[in-house]
Amino acid sequence: MTPEFRFRLNATARAIAACSLAFTLAACSSSSNDDNEAPPATETPAPEPEATPASLKLSLLGRYETGKFGVSAAEIPSYDAGTKRAFVVNALDGAVDVLDMSDPAKPVRIGGLDASNVAAGAEVNSIAVHDGLIALAIQMADKTQPGYVGFYQADTLAEINRVNVGALPDNLVFTPDGKTVLVANEGEPNDDYSVDPEGSISIIDISNIQTPTVRTAGFQAWNGKEQALRQAGVRIFGPGASAAQDFEPEYIAVSADSATAWATLQENNALARIDIASATVTDILPLGYKDHGLEANGMDTNDEDRVIDIRARPGVLGMYLPDAIAAYGAQGKTYLVTANEGDARAWGEDNQDYFGADENTAGDPNLGFVEEFRVKHLVHDKGVARRQGDDLPPQLLALTERGLLNPEVFSYCGAATTATGGGETTSGDCREDEELGRLNVTWTLGYQTDPATGEPIMFNKDTGAEDPTGTAIMYDNLYSFGGRSFSIWDDTGKLVWDSGKQFEAYLASDECKLGPARDIDCKLYFNSGHDEGDAMDSRSDAKGPEPEGVELGTIGEKTFAFIGLERMGGIMVYDVTDPAAPVFVDYYNSRSDWSTEDVESVAGSAGDLGPEGLKFVPAAQSPNGQPLLIVGNEVSGTTSVYDLGQTFASST
């Protein structure tokens, strides 16, 4: 029973009671004419419209601390208005912490939910709550095995039911009408890729929660179309993987009419469009690439110089690779908002036998797959083999002896395919740390291939000339991870707007301030890591501030986007009411201790590090009558509650 329904029921009971106390039954009736006409209907007054703020300014209202640092003890939050409880996935425990939010300034843990009764070793991955009903995504101890979605009551925490779904169920959402739950089954492979289950979307009809039914929107219809998908811009590159195996849905968003869903296929740099009624994946939407050669998309690429150097990098294309996605309506259409994190595919990265025991021993390609590699090592004159025993993926060594950079694209930093005095081609300053050398890119993309077969075109490693017997490949572009931005797309996956370099530019500005009191210069800790102290610039070679989570909130007539920066930390806020022209509103980072080298030693006082999931609570559902933002921080193990600090335009 919803709080609103309870209110209506109580109001009706009060009216009946008042009527029974009247002197006569007639006194309770408004009809006083001889024809006994029905009384005029009494309409319930429409609720007062919510005021529309001119702006927002975040501040820390409250915090719950697990006391666990760097072990993902707080990740995905959700909220139930009826019980005034927050539910936060604690990945460390594979369970959910239940927090009393009656006083949002002082969240208190009052219980937990786990999956111990489902199966031995089962863990909770994600959570969603709707109108007193909790849905949990539960993975098995062997993540390649089918998992479950479990349903629980928000007030008693009692289990209601559970259903089988696909392998590694993660993000899950209720449709706006509350009749369906969708869960993204990632279907990740095991570390050596010997088992690679198919990804899918489970669509669960909960019209009758006692007998839920499950249908599966899979990707098998795209098997056999891998080359066409690649040519369209979809990344399919897992070892021996079909499209259905390679697609790993990450996050889901649903249209306001509960008819259509979109799932991010993060590593594939694409979206899947799903028709909910038929449980069918109707389209795969490639997202394209971000041109970092444009000044508006400039980036810093060096993590060691401790210098902020945001500028255009011709020839470098960013793969959006979005994590979280959200949907909203504007101007009669549905728009999608993505946080362009940029996760690389990395399996077996902790197995030294995959990379080789030493510089003279090749690694074993059957033990994993890692696509990330630094530019300077990819195009080094002495070839990629010099990295054996360190970070050389054996699949790269099998592909080429050395990478070359196309001088027509990279001439600005000295790339050439003419022989140098030493008899070898050079990539010039492009491989130097101050230019592109430190940047992490994927070696799987950007080199010249035969359009008909997709096979690499080979070049002579010394002369740079095309040569069928050569051992080098020629890169026309370098593809970096993530967009360092958030984007807005239409419902067909067409880019409407991207924040470009705005995140990094703002973090480098004099205006940007850190800490609860906003009194620390952001630029002193520009592109820092979430588990590091005094680490200015340390993430510039990777994904910069690394936006990961996104949440939308409507206040009055405006829609705001809240974007969590996983590495730098903090929350970016934009007014996205006009999808084609979002406006920056605020940035707030509650981390207070930035200079201590050993961050874990001050974990209890450092503040919030590594925002993962975000949940907007509208004023009508909030325990204090004000809109709130709840954030799970995976590194600090804290759940933070932010006041939105609304300001309103003057009425004069």
Side-chain angles (χ1 to χ4, degrees):
M1 183 183 297
T2 68
E4 292 79 11
F5 182 73
R6 293 191 191 100
F7 176 83
R8 289 196 298 270
L9 182 61
N10 292 339
T12 302
R14 288 195 297 270
I16 293 172
C19 199
S20 67
L21 292 173
F23 184 70
T24 66
L25 182 62
C28 287
S29 172
S30 62
S31 175
S32 60
N33 57 41
D34 294 336
D35 296 328
N36 293 320
E37 294 178 356
T42 301
E43 294 184 359
T44 302
E48 290 292 326
E50 186 176 20
T52 301
S55 189
L56 306 178
K57 188 172 183 178
L58 301 185
S59 63
L60 181 66
L61 178 61
R63 177 187 291 135
Y64 167 73
E65 301 179 10
T66 63
K68 305 295 183 180
F69 181 87
V71 286
S72 299
E75 288 195 343
I76 308 300
S78 197
Y79 176 78
D80 177 60
T83 58
K84 297 181 181 179
R85 291 176 175 178
F87 301 85
V88 186
V89 173
N90 183 329
L92 171 65
D93 296 337
V96 174
D97 289 329
V98 182
L99 308 181
D100 179 3
M101 290 277 291
S102 298
D103 180 357
K106 299 177 180 179
V108 177
R109 187 182 188 278
I110 57 173
L113 271 174
D114 64 35
S116 59
N117 65 322
V118 175
E123 299 180 0
V124 177
N125 268 344
S126 192
I127 186 170
V129 180
H130 180 83
D131 200 14
L133 179 64
I134 300 171
L136 299 184
I138 302 169
Q139 75 168 65
M140 295 297 95
D142 177 356
K143 69 177 182 177
T144 66
Q145 295 301 306
Y148 289 88
V149 168
F151 295 99
Y152 300 79
Q153 294 179 195
D155 52 0
T156 66
L157 306 184
E159 182 178 7
I160 301 171
N161 219 322
R162 75 181 76 140
V163 294
N164 282 108
V165 292
L168 193 60
D170 198 348
N171 174 247
L172 72 176
V173 297
F174 285 84
T175 54
D177 63 13
K179 296 179 180 179
T180 308
V181 170
L182 288 81
V183 61
N185 304 308
E186 285 193 68
E188 288 181 351
N190 59 357
D191 274 359
D192 63 6
Y193 255 91
S194 60
V195 180
D196 188 3
E198 295 181 352
S200 64
I201 308 292
S202 290
I203 299 174
I204 308 167
D205 184 342
I206 56 168
S207 300
N208 183 344
I209 192 59
Q210 301 302 325
T211 57
T213 58
V214 183
R215 294 172 299 155
T216 301
F219 298 101
Q220 292 183 352
W222 306 95
N223 289 346
K225 302 176 182 178
E226 288 82 3
Q227 186 56 23
L229 287 166
R230 292 186 188 100
Q231 291 174 345
V234 180
R235 302 176 73 221
I236 300 175
F237 59 100
S242 64
Q245 290 173 308
D246 211 60
F247 292 154
E248 298 173 3
E250 189 84 21
Y251 247 82
I252 302 174
V254 183
S255 61
D257 63 4
S258 302
T260 307
W262 296 263
T264 53
L265 305 178
Q266 185 169 27
E267 291 85 355
N268 310 103
N269 199 39
L271 303 179
R273 183 182 172 110
I274 302 112
D275 178 70
I276 295 176
S278 64
T280 305
V281 177
T282 58
D283 209 351
I284 303 297
L285 308 172
L287 297 179
Y289 304 99
K290 183 169 181 173
D291 186 356
H292 287 294
L294 302 176
E295 184 58 38
N297 294 336
M299 63 194 303
D300 191 332
T301 62
N302 191 338
D303 63 320
E304 289 192 336
D305 61 356
R306 297 180 69 88
V307 172
I308 299 174
D309 184 17
I310 304 170
R311 54 189 168 91
R313 312 281 177 170
V316 179
L317 299 178
M319 302 177 289
Y320 294 99
L321 306 176
D323 189 342
I325 185 172
Y328 73 112
Q331 303 160 4
K333 300 179 180 179
T334 298
Y335 291 91
L336 309 171
V337 183
T338 60
N340 304 318
E341 180 194 19
D343 235 9
R345 187 162 275 167
W347 304 109
E349 60 182 337
D350 297 324
N351 186 347
Q352 191 57 49
D353 289 335
Y354 169 71
F355 294 110
D358 53 50
E359 61 183 9
N360 298 312
T361 306
D364 186 345
N366 296 312
L367 298 179
F369 184 85
V370 175
E371 63 167 317
E372 198 170 15
F373 208 57
R374 283 199 200 280
V375 172
K376 63 189 294 183
H377 302 320
L378 182 62
V379 299
H380 199 279
D381 288 347
K382 294 183 179 179
V384 298
R386 61 187 285 274
R387 302 297 298 179
Q388 273 186 175
D390 193 332
D391 60 354
L392 175 65
Q395 293 92 345
L396 173 58
L397 181 61
L399 174 68
T400 185
E401 184 176 339
R402 179 194 174 190
L404 304 172
L405 295 181
N406 189 335
E408 294 181 8
V409 179
F410 295 98
S411 60
Y412 72 94
C413 55
T417 54
T418 55
T420 65
E424 296 177 326
T425 55
T426 179
S427 294
D429 293 336
C430 290
R431 68 185 180 194
E432 298 302 320
D433 288 352
E434 60 268 20
E435 189 51 63
L436 296 177
R438 297 290 301 173
L439 183 64
N440 288 307
V441 298
T442 179
W443 57 265
T444 68
L445 199 63
Y447 55 84
Q448 294 183 21
T449 60
D450 185 318
T453 65
E455 293 299 314
I457 297 172
M458 304 308 296
F459 291 79
N460 185 289
K461 69 179 181 66
D462 295 324
T463 67
E466 187 174 334
D467 181 357
T469 64
T471 57
I473 55 177
M474 179 73 70
Y475 283 86
D476 292 336
N477 293 105
L478 297 169
Y479 288 79
S480 63
F481 295 97
R484 308 188 181 198
S485 64
F486 85 102
S487 298
I488 299 179
W489 317 81
D490 69 13
D491 62 358
T492 68
K494 179 181 178 181
L495 183 65
V496 174
W497 185 87
D498 181 79
S499 61
K501 66 178 181 182
Q502 290 182 18
F503 286 177
E504 283 189 301
Y506 184 74
L507 294 172
S509 72
D510 293 333
E511 180 183 356
C512 183
K513 302 295 181 180
L514 302 166
R518 299 182 186 243
D519 56 355
I520 304 170
D521 288 338
C522 296
K523 60 185 178 183
L524 297 178
Y525 303 100
F526 171 80
N527 278 356
S528 288
H530 53 21
D531 56 356
E532 302 170 305
D534 194 18
M536 188 267 192
D537 219 19
S538 68
R539 300 300 301 173
S540 292
D541 63 324
K543 311 168 208 174
E546 202 165 322
E548 179 174 18
V550 64
E551 174 74 339
L552 301 180
T554 298
I555 307 176
E557 297 180 355
K558 288 186 177 181
T559 300
F560 295 93
F562 304 91
I563 305 101
L565 305 185
E566 182 183 9
R567 296 292 178 161
M568 182 68 185
I571 310 298
M572 288 280 181
V573 186
Y574 277 74
D575 178 351
V576 297
T577 307
D578 181 352
V583 177
F584 172 76
V585 174
D586 192 26
Y587 170 68
Y588 182 66
N589 191 326
S590 65
R591 179 176 175 181
S592 57
D593 192 319
W594 289 81
S595 60
T596 304
E597 192 68 31
D598 181 11
V599 181
E600 187 170 1
S601 67
V602 294
S605 60
D608 302 306
L609 291 77
E612 176 84 6
L614 306 89
K615 181 63 180 179
F616 172 77
V617 180
Q621 299 178 19
S622 171
N624 67 354
Q626 298 295 320
L628 303 173
L629 185 70
I630 304 173
V631 180
N633 302 282
E634 63 173 337
V635 174
S636 56
T638 56
T639 300
S640 46
V641 183
Y642 295 119
D643 180 86
L644 301 192
Q646 302 175 80
T647 57
F648 299 89
S650 173
S651 59
T652 59

